[in-house]
Every structure is written in structure tokens, then in C-alpha cells.
Amino acid sequence: MNNSPYLRQATSVQSVMLRVLFALLPGIAAYVWFFGAAIVLQIVLASLTALAAEALVLHLRGKPLAIFLTDGSALVTAWLIALSFPPLAPWWLVVLATMIAIIVAKHLYGGLGQNPFNPAMVAFALMIVAYPQFMSRWPGTDAIDFATQWQIIFGLHANQALDALTMATPLDALRTALHSTNATTVTVASALAHNPAIGLMAGRGWEWIAAGHLIGGLWLVQQRIITWHLPTAFLATLFLLAGLASTINPSEFAGPLFHLFGGGAMLAAFFIVTDPVSAATTPYGKLIFAAGVALLTWIIRSFGAYPDGIAFAVLLMNIAVPLIDMATQPRVFGHKKNGSNHHG
Amino acid sequence: MLAALLVMALGAVVLGAALGFAAVKFRVEGDPLTEKIDAILPQTQCGQCGYPGCKPYAAAMAKGEADINQCPPGGDEGIRKLADLLGREYKPLSAEHGVEKPKALAVIDEQRCIGCTLCIQACPVDAIVGAAKQMHTVIAAQCTGCELCVPVCPVDCIDMVPVAENITTWKWKYPVVAIKPVTTQ
Amino acid sequence: MQLFDFNGGVTPEYHKEASTQSPIAVSPAPSRNGLKNFLVIPLHQSIGGTPRPLVSAGDRVLKGQRIGAADGDMSSAVHASTSGQVVAVEMRRMPHPSGLSALCVVIEADGRDEWIARQPFDYHQHTAAETRDYLRDAGVVGLGGAVFPTHLKISPGKGGKLDTLIINGAECEPFITCDDLLMRERAEAIIQGVVILRDLLAAGRALIGIEDNKPQALAAMTAAVQAGGHQDMAVVAVPTRYPAGGAKQLIRVLTGIEVPHGKRSTDYGVQCFNVGTAYAIHEAINLGQPLISRIVTVAGNVAAPRNYAALIGTPLHTLLANSQPLPDTDRLIMGGPMMGITLPGDEVPVVKATNCILVGSPRLFPPPPPEMPCIRCGECAKACPADLQPFELYWFSRAKIFGKAQEYHLFDCIECGCCAYVCPSHIPLVDYYRFAKSEIWANESEKAAADQAREQYEFRQLREAREAQEKAARLAARTAAGRAAATNALAMAPVTAPAATSAAASAVTSAATPVTEPAQTPSPQAALIAAALERARAQQVQPANTTNLTPEQQAEIAAIEARRAQIRTQAHPHLPPDD
Ligand code: SF4
Ligand code: SF4
Ligand code: SF4
Ligand code: SF4
């Protein structure tokens, strides 16, 4: 028989995770609208792989399958992988990435709740280092129909035609242009001016996907699944940095809206830096953590060699989490000082 | 790439500085080793370790003359703490020095006691009171359970009684962590 | 009036209506199987030492008679709750989660309910210390559940004054309504108790905090304050949120003051008492009645939830009989659903800490879903009224890293259960804190015992060394005496010269004196030596070669004696213990 409290709120890890998945739906809808149904295929692939990998490892570790398989955490990881990978990436890339995320990044560190690194971001970082050529396969205007996408994902399409069908993300395009050999003459404005992917703010369709994630994220805040600290600190820092840099040197640095609504920034703000397991936990710690991710993201986006810097930024800040948490322990009731010290 | 490297390097420097600072700030100014070892020993003063008391055994360990697994009352936990403190390898309690037993207290059967005072002389912590030819008794709060008084008693009237749990010494148990599948029976 | 807020807290369903429908009933006379009426009164019912029993089997006791005397000041007396005969002073199972037994006085009621002579205690005519002793002997303890001896809390803070006296009528736990009903029905008596407390503590004002979900209690108390014309008292409605009735939380809400763990609240100018305690003080001081009964809520899985005025010592089956527990009852809980403890059986007695007997069933309190790993979601930290990071405490307690748990302020945890209430992983967090706390306490008392043993041992070592020294001294003295005797035997015909005799005697004594000095107390050996000396003197020993010494010879003798003395001291530690 259990001890007090005998009453418990009706809540569970499963309900938390399911609400996170639900909050991803608006973003996914926009994704399908602008880039075709490939993303759904990738989500299904990643989900099946995640569940299979999870079941395998749980079995090997002798843990009860029913409870952990249904907790929804593997699905969240899978969906985040699918959403941050290019929709036309070959099927095996997503499968491999999901397996790495679940088996290595999650379970080798102890499973649910124990992983210091965000599993989806570990998978993303590894893949972009190992297979950069597949990580920029976004569907061009000619590859919106599902049949073509299916063929590309499963490698049934002639390779030569691929380049014409896919395109880089606006972020990637901008970086390539700015860093190309004749970079001296290229400015942000000129690079973006001729890009077919550019929409209103940050790329055709991109801003709508970001808006979808924003809506889902705000709902999560309203549901008290995540607190305002992490997304706010992340978005505000990114906005300020990008704003400052683009004011100083508009030809070299993209503006704040481009940063906020381009790439995976919105997804990161509400769904990735908010991963409770690998993020900081104290109120001040959350602000520092998210601001750090934003700072690193902006640096890597502006100066680095990779199309997006969020994964690396998150992983780097994950390392610092124990230190951040230790240094930002909140004031305990009745005590004067902040932080942990010997009682009495 | 360069930026990333720079950031990593900066991170390393900051982390390193923080760790260094922590190492300086939180270093424990130590008392001499013997005292530290003695603080771990249970102070039963039973002599089972082969030394006349805990302090001499601590001194011998500090000098590296004695092994860390000779104190039965300290038990496994004690050995682990000693291994930690002295940076030595853990080893199980050496059988020649005795076995770990639950704590017990000496109780003198006051009807049979002949008042010979031998137990008073044997008790390392003065936990027995009485005078020559008078009945003797054990002050329970001071008895360490060393058993040294048991063999010296000529009429065999001292018993070791294991300490029973009562309401004030009762402890909350470690919560059960095993995840059991929900059964419907 | 400005109210303050505390962080965290939860709002579970309150379930308070059911037991507030009918007025407080008098608990039925204890009986089992209609045969005999027994009360089981545990001696240990408060924080602190266990009272000594004052009665033994066969004694007749009166209602209100002291049957256990406080053990020192950090303890509180217990009394017979009715008149009758003591049938046993023995170990009985306690209302405690361990299910262990403790010493109880078992009284067979004679049904006459005959009181001792009751006299009001005029605290104006007594010193503060006398009043405190009176309350201690009247067995008044905190009735909010913590049962801390009340007399220990009645000392004004710095400067002999207290800013604010706080009376806790918040009663924030679900199901419990005993304070609510007490305030509705006996508001004036409570206020009289508050007056006494205010006087004893020299309090500037008294604030009575009641959660705003108890409008009737608020009205009754306000009316009582107005009727008494107390300008310095105020009844304050505080927002309903668990645990607003925690002493620290209520103090914070009413005054904005945070009293840290381990600090006396009087040092911060506040002191907090439960309304039930104020009522008990009124009864003890104004009516001369010691604490022998209390209001107990019976609620939960029963047909007729209700509050009872129950005698301390009433077995629970007697108390519960009138409320009729339903057939699917699977447990009895003492206290509320957030902080209560599961009881080992229904024969355990009502004690001073029993504010509520909550009857549980799988329907009311379903078994918790399986425990999952902590996902560090931080819900527990948001809910914690002590502003702790419960998941960190959980982590350290679970890994048995108790030092770290203490660094993260484990002992500031009030075990309110909010964290476990909200945890999506269904971790029994509070169980881990209880475990860690009792391990730390056990370690500390073990360490204290070890320190005491070390001290005793070292003291004994010192004493043995000193005794060895004394023995060596006596040995030396005996040798000296022996030598004197030998010299005597070898001596020539005695010369009767008083001056020479005294010189010889003084020579012998001076040889003996330095070594006998350490033996402060006369021992048989010392007496022997003295006798030997006496004999030597009587025989008027006069070694010829020690008379008429030249200064050189005397110097030489002194040097030799010094050397001998030195050798003796060196030899001391090696002398085997004899006797
Ligand atoms: S064996 Fe006995 S004397 Fe030796 S250290 Fe242990 S408790 Fe002390
Ligand atoms: S040794 Fe035994 S007989 Fe002698 S005094 Fe001690 S208990 Fe009594
Ligand atoms: S509420 Fe539970 S799962 Fe969430 S951080 Fe606290 S202990 Fe962990
Ligand atoms: S039980 Fe302790 S840790 Fe949990 S919420 Fe209450 S005070 Fe905080």
C-alpha cells in the first residue's frame, strides 16, 4: 500500500508527450501544404523505426515494454527528427538517424529521463556531418507531388534529375552565396533576391510552417506543458542578435525575421530547447540555457559551414546544463541566499 | 567552422575556470588522516581488528600498516567508506577478524551477578556500573556492544541482546522502485 | 489588509461538505463486542521525551488525572480521559506507520466519568515559568497535527514582546473539517484561548487566518471577536490553496515573513498556534481541564461522515462505528489525503495528533500508476511551496547521496506532498524524502553515539594511564619504605639524638613525598607506607653515614635522588597493572 499523498493529479508522461505531438500538427499541416506529403511519409518511417528500436532496447534491458512503449517519448523524438530532416532525404537516412537517437543517444545514457543530450539533435548532428549531401534535399517547385517524392525518398528516381527537383533551404542558400568565391559582390539582399525559395520573410512556405509551430507552442505554454522561459529567451536572443548585426552590416547579416522564421528556429524554440530532460531546469537556468542556444545558433548560422546551427548549439548547451543548474538554484523559502549551500 | 571551434575553445576555458574555482573554493581543509579514519570507525572499541581500540587501528591504517577490512562492527559500509577515503581497493571483511552482526547491547542478569567487578575492568567505555560485591548493571546508552565483558564474567551472567526497533528508531524504508505491470486479478 | 502569497501549492478537490452537514457529536463510549469499555492511552503523544507512567495496573484513576509525567521540559504530560481502573501498563500497537508498539496505559472505564477537582489557573497571578509548567502538566500540545508541546512555544521573542500572534484556522487539507466545526460551534471559547495566548506572549496583535472556503467559520469567528470587543484581533480570509494551512505558509500569507527551517519564529516576531490548541488552552487555564479529548473528523469511505469529540485513547473501531465504514474499505488514514499516514489497524487509539480518520477505498484512492523515470519536467518545482527543486532531492535521495540532498535543503521540505501530487511520472517523491530524512537522522544519532563512545574510551585511557602512574608511585614509595627498613636492620646502635632523628625522618619523608603526592586520596597502600614510616620513626632509625654531611655530600645525594626520580618517571608507563 502506498503512502501519502494518496491523491494524485490526473496526469502522466504519456499525456504530456501526446499533447506535444498534438501541438506539432499545425506546423506539419503547413509543411504538407507547401512541400507535399513527403513529410508524412518521413514521420511514419521515423515513428515505426523509433518504436521498433525502443522495443528492442527495452527488451534487451529487461524493462516492461507496455509502459515505456506507450509513454510517447520515442514518438516525440521521431517526429522531431522527421521535421528537422529534409523531406526528400533517402528513407534509410531517417531510419538510421532515428535508430541512433533511440539506441545511442537515449538508451545508452540510461533511457527515458537520463539522456544528457537531446536525442533528435544528436541524430541530426551526426547525419549532417556524415551525409551532408543528403541533408539539403528540400523539394523544389517541381517535386511537390507525392509520386515524385516517393520515388526520390526510396531512390527510384534517376540521380541526374535530382538536382533539378530539390533545392536548398533559404538559410543554406544564403550561406552558400555569401561564402562563395565571388562572395565580395554578394549581399544578403542580392543572394535572396534571386532565390525561388524566398517568400514573405524567410522563404516560401517556411514562415507558415514556423507560424504553425508558434501556434502549437503557444498552446503548449497555455497547457502548462512548457514554461515561457525557454522559448522567450531563445527567440528574444536570436531576434536581438540578428537585429543588431543586420543593422550594423545589412549586406553580410540577415535580418531578425529571417532568422526567427527561417530554418528550424520556431521548432527549436518550442519543441527542441524545451525538451525537459536535456534542458536546464531552474527558472534562471532556463533563460541562460535558451539564450546560449540562440547565441550559438546565430554564430554557427552566420559564420559556420553548416546550413543550420541549432543542433550543434543545443548539444553544446546540453553539456553546460549541470553547471547552469547548479549555479542558478532558486532561493529556498525562508533562506536569504540563492543556490545550494549547507542547510542550517 | 572556425567560429564553432572558437566557441568550443571558449566553452572549454570557461568550464575549466569554473572547475578550477570550484576545486579551490570547496576544498576541505583536512584534519590529520588518523582523525579522519577514526571518524569512520564505529568506536565500538572491541579490539576485533587486532588493535586495542579504534584509534590505534586508525593510526595503523594511516601509516599503511593495517588493511582496511579488519573492523567487523563497521561492516561492509565502513570498509567502503575507508576505501573511499584512503583511495584503496574495496575488499570484503576479512573472516579472521570476525563477522558483521546486528548491533546488540550487553545485559547483566542481576540475579546471578556476584559483583566481581571483572566486567567493569573489561568495558572499554565505562558503560558498566557497580562496586565490589555489589550487583552490576549496564548503562544501555553507553554500551557499544563490544562483547568484551562477556568472556570475563566468571558466572556467565552477561548476555548480548540485539537492539530491537522501536517507534523512535524506526526508519522509513527505501521506496520500491520495481515497475510492475498492471495486473487485473 | 494586505495579504501575501506563497509560491507553488495545488488545488485538489476538497470533499469537505459531507462531514460539515451535522454538528460535532460526542464519540460513543468505547466498547468492543459490548463487553467492556477500554481506553488505550499511549504515554508518548507529543514531540519530545516519553512521559513516565504514574500509575500501575490495579490503580483507580479519575477523569483528568495525570497518568504520565513529562520527562523533562521537552515533553508533555498525559491524563486519564475518563474514570476507571488501570488494567495494564503495557506495549500496545500505536497509530504509527511502522505498526510498532509503545507503552500505553489501558483503562477500563467505569462509566461514571468522574472528574478530578478542577480549578481554573489564574495566569495573571503566576510567573511565566509557572504558567508554562502548568500547561506542560496539563498536556497541552499543538493540535494541528504536529503535537509540539505548546508550553515550549510560549516565550515572547526578543525584547519580551511579539509582533503578531497567528491563529491557524486555515485547515487546507481535503476531507478534514475538525477545525471548521470547532470554529463554527465554539468560536468564543477559541477566542478566550487566543486572549490567553496574546497575554502570555505579549503580542501586539492577533491574526486569525481561515481559508475562504469556510464562510460559516469566518462569520462565527468574526462575531466572537466583535462580541469580545477585541480591537487587536482580526479574522482574515486567506485564499484557498493547499498548503495555505502550513504554519510557515500561513505566516507568509498573513505577514509576508518567511521563517526559515530550523529557526524559531518568535525571532521573526511571529508565533503560530492552531485554533484547536487555542481551545485546549482555554479549557486548561479557564476550566482547569487537561487535554483529554479532541475533535476528530471521520470522513472518506463512510456512510455518515461527521466530526466527533473523542476521548484520547478511544479505539478507532469505536470511533468509526457510528459513521459506518463501507464494505470496500481498504485502509485507515490518520490525517488527510496529502500528508496522512496509513494506520496498522482499527484497534489503535485516538491520540492528540488525530485530527482526522480518513477511511480509504480503492475507489477514493486508487493505487498509483506505475512509477516512471523522472523526465525533469519541473512540475514538482512549480508546485513546491518551499521553493525547493524536488526532482534534485529525489535524485540524491534515491541514489543515497544524503550529503548532497542536505545541501539542496532536504530538511526545508515540509512533506506536503504537492510535488508527488503533480508528478506526471507518478514518482512517490515524498517517500524518498522520508527515507532520506530518517536515514540522515539515524546516521546522526549513530555518529553521536560513536562520538560519545570515543570520548568515554579516551577518558578511560587517560584514567588508566593516571592509575598506572599512581600505582608506580606507590610501588616506589613501598620500595623506599623497604629500603628504610633494611637500613634499619643494618643500623648500628641507635643514637638518641632528637635532632638527628627528625633529620632522618625528614630525609625519608622528603624521598617519599614527591612520589606519593599524585595519589590524592588515601589508599590502603598509602596507609601501609605511612605506618612503615611511623615504625621507622618510632625505632628512631639513624643511619650513621647520613649525619653531619658536608655540603658537597648533600649536593651529591640530591643529584642522586633527582636521577632516581627521573628513572622512576621513565619507568612508570612500563609498570604492569597489578591488583
Ligand atoms: S574492530 Fe572494534 S576496535 Fe577495531 S576499529 Fe572496529 S570497532 Fe574499533
Ligand atoms: S563479571 Fe559478571 S559476575 Fe562479575 S560483576 Fe560483571 S556481571 Fe557481575
Ligand atoms: S514532476 Fe516528476 S517527472 Fe517532473 S521533474 Fe518532478 S519528479 Fe521529475
Ligand atoms: S513535499 Fe517537500 S519537496 Fe515536495 S512539494 Fe512539499 S515541500 Fe516541496
Side-chain angles (χ1 to χ4, degrees):
Chain A
M1 186 131 322
N2 61 311
N3 297 312
S4 62
Y6 304 96
L7 288 178
R8 284 175 178 279
Q9 215 168 38
T11 167
S12 65
V13 175
Q14 189 188 38
S15 86
V16 170
M17 296 294 172
L18 287 183
R19 276 182 284 176
V20 172
L21 293 180
F22 185 72
L24 282 168
L25 292 180
I28 294 173
Y31 213 127
V32 173
W33 180 264
F34 287 101
F35 292 111
I39 185 65
V40 178
L41 182 60
Q42 300 283 23
I43 286 177
V44 171
L45 270 178
S47 300
L48 292 178
T49 315
L51 289 177
E54 181 95 7
L56 176 75
V57 187
L58 287 173
H59 178 73
L60 289 178
R61 294 179 67 200
K63 300 255 175 183
L65 279 190
I67 297 168
F68 283 106
L69 263 191
T70 52
D71 68 17
S73 63
L75 285 183
V76 170
T77 302
W79 286 33
L80 289 179
I81 289 177
L83 283 170
S84 51
F85 273 46
L88 297 185
W91 65 272
W92 54 264
L93 193 71
V94 173
V95 169
L96 184 65
T98 312
M99 277 168 52
I100 288 174
I102 298 291
I103 297 175
V104 179
K106 182 175 178 186
H107 280 288
L108 283 192
Y109 284 100
L112 178 65
Q114 317 276 306
N115 46 295
F117 298 106
N118 187 318
M121 293 300 102
V122 169
F124 186 93
L126 282 177
M127 291 301 121
I128 204 160
V129 171
Y131 304 103
Q133 69 275 29
F134 298 121
M135 291 299 281
S136 53
R137 278 198 191 170
W138 252 270
T141 26
D142 298 334
I144 303 290
D145 65 303
F146 191 61
T148 321
Q149 294 189 332
W150 174 280
Q151 286 174 346
I152 296 176
I153 291 174
F154 287 98
L156 307 173
H157 209 277
N159 266 343
Q160 304 87 305
L162 259 184
D163 280 349
L165 290 174
T166 66
M167 62 176 196
T169 65
L171 260 183
D172 203 9
L174 176 65
R175 186 190 51 79
T176 321
L178 286 175
H179 292 242
S180 63
T181 40
N182 55 350
T184 40
T185 58
V186 184
T187 65
V188 172
S190 72
L192 294 181
H194 307 295
N195 195 302
I198 300 306
L200 291 172
M201 289 181 283
R204 186 187 57 83
W206 285 95
E207 59 262 7
W208 292 107
I209 297 175
H213 290 321
L214 177 62
I215 292 168
L218 290 177
W219 180 73
L220 281 186
V221 175
Q222 186 265 327
Q223 290 283 301
R224 293 176 43 98
I225 302 262
I226 59 177
T227 58
W228 59 270
H229 304 78
L230 287 162
T232 312
F234 178 84
L235 294 175
T237 310
L238 196 57
F239 185 89
L240 285 180
L241 278 174
L244 209 65
S246 64
T247 319
I248 295 170
N249 188 351
S251 65
E252 278 284 335
F253 297 103
L257 288 181
F258 183 82
H259 271 286
L260 290 194
F261 284 85
M266 269 314 158
L267 186 69
F270 290 99
F271 298 92
I272 292 173
V273 297
T274 52
D275 166 36
V277 177
S278 56
T281 51
T282 63
Y284 285 115
K286 285 178 180 171
L287 296 179
I288 295 174
F289 174 81
V293 175
L295 170 72
L296 293 175
T297 301
W298 182 80
I299 290 176
I300 300 173
R301 276 182 175 182
S302 304
F303 306 105
Y306 292 104
D308 204 343
I310 291 170
F312 297 105
V314 168
L315 295 180
L316 280 173
M317 289 310 290
N318 283 163
I319 301 175
V321 160
L323 199 66
I324 296 175
D325 275 351
M326 206 177 75
T328 55
Q329 282 297 309
R331 187 185 74 92
V332 172
F333 185 94
H335 290 257
K336 290 217 176 57
K337 272 189 302 181
N338 280 13
S340 72
N341 56 310
H342 284 280
H343 76 114
Chain B
M1 200 64 219
L2 185 68
L5 281 179
L6 274 178
V7 169
M8 299 272 267
L10 188 73
V13 169
V14 170
L15 274 176
L19 285 178
F21 170 73
V24 174
K25 184 167 173 209
F26 300 115
R27 184 176 43 217
V28 207
E29 277 312 326
D31 25 350
L33 190 55
T34 308
E35 302 278 302
K36 277 199 211 162
I37 301 176
D38 195 40
I40 292 176
L41 295 176
Q43 305 302 321
T44 309
Q45 315 291 5
C46 62
Q48 290 181 79
C49 50
Y51 293 84
C54 303
K55 190 70 156 277
Y57 176 42
M61 267 190 282
K63 278 190 240 141
E65 289 165 3
D67 220 329
I68 57 169
N69 62 345
Q70 302 183 358
C71 169
D76 216 46
E77 205 189 322
I79 299 175
R80 280 186 201 283
K81 284 193 196 150
L82 287 172
D84 253 16
L85 176 70
L86 298 172
R88 295 206 213 162
E89 195 70 22
Y90 162 83
K91 43 178 95 169
L93 183 64
S94 106
E96 79 178 89
H97 291 100
V99 287
E100 192 179 348
K101 282 185 272 189
K103 182 166 177 184
L105 295 183
V107 174
I108 295 176
D109 178 350
E110 290 162 3
Q111 303 303 311
R112 277 191 288 157
C113 169
I114 55 170
C116 70
T117 77
L118 288 178
C119 54
I120 294 199
Q121 292 163 43
C123 179
V125 291
D126 294 336
I128 302 179
V129 288
K133 310 236 173 68
Q134 306 281 309
M135 171 190 89
H136 284 49
T137 194
V138 178
I139 310 168
Q142 289 184 16
C143 175
T144 63
C146 70
E147 304 191 0
L148 290 180
C149 52
V150 176
V152 299
C153 178
V155 293
D156 250 351
C157 73
I158 307 181
D159 284 322
M160 298 305 295
V161 180
V163 186
E165 197 174 42
N166 64 29
I167 294 244
T168 31
T169 58
W170 178 80
K171 294 194 283 185
W172 284 93
K173 304 294 170 292
Y174 191 74
V176 197
V177 259
I179 296 177
K180 282 178 248 96
V182 193
T183 49
T184 50
Q185 26 154 322
Chain C
M1 197 187 128
Q2 191 203 348
L3 288 186
F4 298 82
D5 198 9
F6 64 93
N7 296 330
V10 295
T11 45
E13 279 183 49
Y14 284 93
H15 301 286
K16 290 196 189 240
E17 305 73 31
S19 56
T20 53
Q21 299 309 317
S22 8
I24 299 172
V26 174
S27 169
S31 73
R32 177 151 231 181
N33 310 327
L35 291 175
K36 279 179 175 166
N37 301 346
F38 289 110
L39 287 176
V40 180
I41 304 176
L43 285 165
H44 192 231
Q45 291 195 54
S46 71
I47 307 275
T50 305
R52 284 170 286 115
L54 296 174
V55 292
S56 45
D59 292 358
R60 180 173 147 75
V61 290
L62 293 178
K63 182 170 183 156
Q65 180 180 335
R66 201 142 52 100
I67 54 175
D71 171 37
D73 205 42
M74 182 68 192
S75 177
S76 185
V78 290
H79 302 79
S81 323
T82 188
S83 60
Q85 196 176 26
V86 177
V87 291
V89 179
E90 62 182 17
M91 302 295 277
R92 287 290 184 98
R93 206 142 71 140
M94 292 285 279
H96 188 264
S98 67
L100 290 171
S101 301
L103 206 57
C104 297
V105 175
V106 185
I107 296 173
E108 185 186 347
D110 58 13
R112 280 184 281 176
D113 227 16
E114 210 176 307
W115 270 100
I116 47 164
R118 283 169 286 171
Q119 259 159 14
F121 179 88
D122 186 356
Y123 60 95
H124 298 293
Q125 304 298 318
H126 289 84
T127 63
E130 282 165 353
T131 310
R132 279 196 285 275
D133 286 353
Y134 174 79
L135 286 173
R136 180 194 66 205
D137 294 339
V140 180
V141 298
L143 294 184
V147 287
F148 190 83
T150 298
H151 65 277
L152 297 175
K153 286 170 74 179
I154 301 185
S155 52
K158 294 167 185 149
K161 271 208 172 121
L162 191 78
D163 287 344
T164 311
L165 167 67
I166 289 179
I167 301 299
N168 188 345
E171 197 168 60
C172 56
E173 261 208 80
F175 289 101
I176 309 181
T177 57
C178 59
D179 291 349
D180 187 0
L181 268 274
L182 186 74
M183 288 187 286
R184 290 188 198 185
E185 298 184 14
R186 305 181 191 177
E188 299 208 343
I190 296 175
I191 297 300
Q192 288 184 43
V194 178
V195 168
I196 298 169
L197 280 169
R198 183 197 61 195
D199 293 353
L200 292 176
L201 285 160
R205 59 171 179 168
L207 298 179
I208 301 160
I210 302 171
E211 270 191 352
D212 55 15
N213 62 353
K214 302 178 193 48
Q216 283 153 295
L218 276 164
M221 292 293 281
T222 313
V225 168
Q226 274 161 6
H230 301 293
Q231 298 300 319
D232 53 355
M233 286 187 198
V235 177
V236 186
V238 300
T240 300
R241 177 159 43 113
Y242 179 82
K248 288 175 196 298
Q249 279 66 38
L250 189 66
I251 291 173
R252 158 95 195 149
V253 169
L254 290 176
T255 65
I257 295 169
E258 291 186 5
V259 181
H261 164 73
K263 296 278 162 54
R264 288 192 318 198
S265 50
T266 43
D267 292 347
Y268 293 78
V270 287
Q271 186 62 286
C272 179
F273 295 88
N274 179 266
V275 283
T277 316
Y279 180 76
I281 286 173
H282 156 73
E283 284 203 323
I285 300 259
N286 294 341
L287 308 179
Q289 297 182 0
L291 181 55
I292 52 157
S293 84
R294 67 156 299 147
I295 314 293
V296 183
T297 306
V298 174
N301 197 39
V302 289
R306 190 162 192 183
N307 281 282
Y308 296 93
L311 295 178
I312 305 296
T314 309
L316 293 192
H317 48 70
T318 310
L319 174 74
L320 292 173
N322 270 16
S323 282
Q324 304 147 36
L326 301 177
D328 61 337
T329 294
D330 68 342
R331 74 187 101 180
L332 295 179
I333 295 161
M334 182 167 106
M338 297 299 286
M339 295 181 74
I341 52 171
T342 308
L343 294 175
D346 70 351
E347 85 289 7
V348 299
V350 168
V351 291
K352 292 177 184 176
T354 312
N355 50 359
C356 174
I357 296 298
L358 185 54
V359 180
S361 70
R363 178 184 51 85
L364 267 182
F365 308 123
E371 177 181 344
M372 302 276 288
C374 167
I375 54 170
R376 290 164 48 93
C377 64
E379 280 304 314
C380 48
K382 275 191 258 169
C384 177
D387 302 333
L388 297 164
Q389 298 277 300
F391 56 91
E392 304 271 18
L393 294 177
Y394 155 68
W395 183 253
F396 293 128
S397 303
R398 186 186 136 103
K400 303 185 188 165
I401 310 173
F402 299 129
K404 271 285 184 194
Q406 272 174 285
E407 263 178 55
Y408 278 77
H409 305 286
L410 173 65
F411 282 94
D412 284 66
C413 164
I414 57 171
E415 295 179 26
C416 65
C418 291
C419 50
Y421 177 80
V422 298
C423 175
S425 285
H426 312 297
I427 303 171
L429 292 162
V430 190
D431 283 4
Y432 285 94
Y433 310 149
R434 295 188 188 112
F435 159 74
K437 284 182 182 177
S438 59
E439 285 296 320
I440 293 170
W441 282 322
N443 281 347
E444 268 168 18
S445 66
E446 230 167 68
K447 199 170 165 305
D451 286 346
Q452 191 199 7
R454 182 186 297 113
E455 218 167 84
Q456 291 271 340
Y457 174 73
E458 278 167 6
F459 176 74
R460 186 185 165 95
Q461 299 289 96
L462 271 181
R463 197 185 44 164
E464 275 175 351
R466 200 190 62 217
E467 278 171 3
Q469 227 168 55
E470 287 167 14
K471 251 170 231 160
R474 290 195 292 268
L475 195 67
R478 224 180 287 158
T479 321
R483 201 170 51 234
T487 321
N488 176 27
L490 291 172
M492 307 277 210
V495 181
T496 51
T501 312
S502 67
S506 74
V508 174
T509 334
S510 70
T513 308
V515 282
T516 44
E517 245 163 20
Q520 299 284 336
T521 48
S523 65
Q525 283 92 340
L528 274 180
I529 295 166
L533 288 176
E534 210 46 55
R535 249 178 286 130
R537 196 174 323 170
Q539 287 169 348
Q540 299 187 331
V541 185
Q542 182 52 63
N545 61 345
T546 57
T547 51
N548 304 324
L549 298 175
T550 61
E552 292 82 39
Q553 281 171 318
Q554 277 178 345
E556 202 180 331
I557 289 170
I560 291 167
E561 284 298 335
R563 213 162 42 240
R564 277 190 190 138
Q566 199 188 345
I567 290 166
R568 258 181 242 124
T569 41
Q570 278 170 357
H572 282 162
H574 305 294
L575 286 172
D578 54 303
D579 282 23

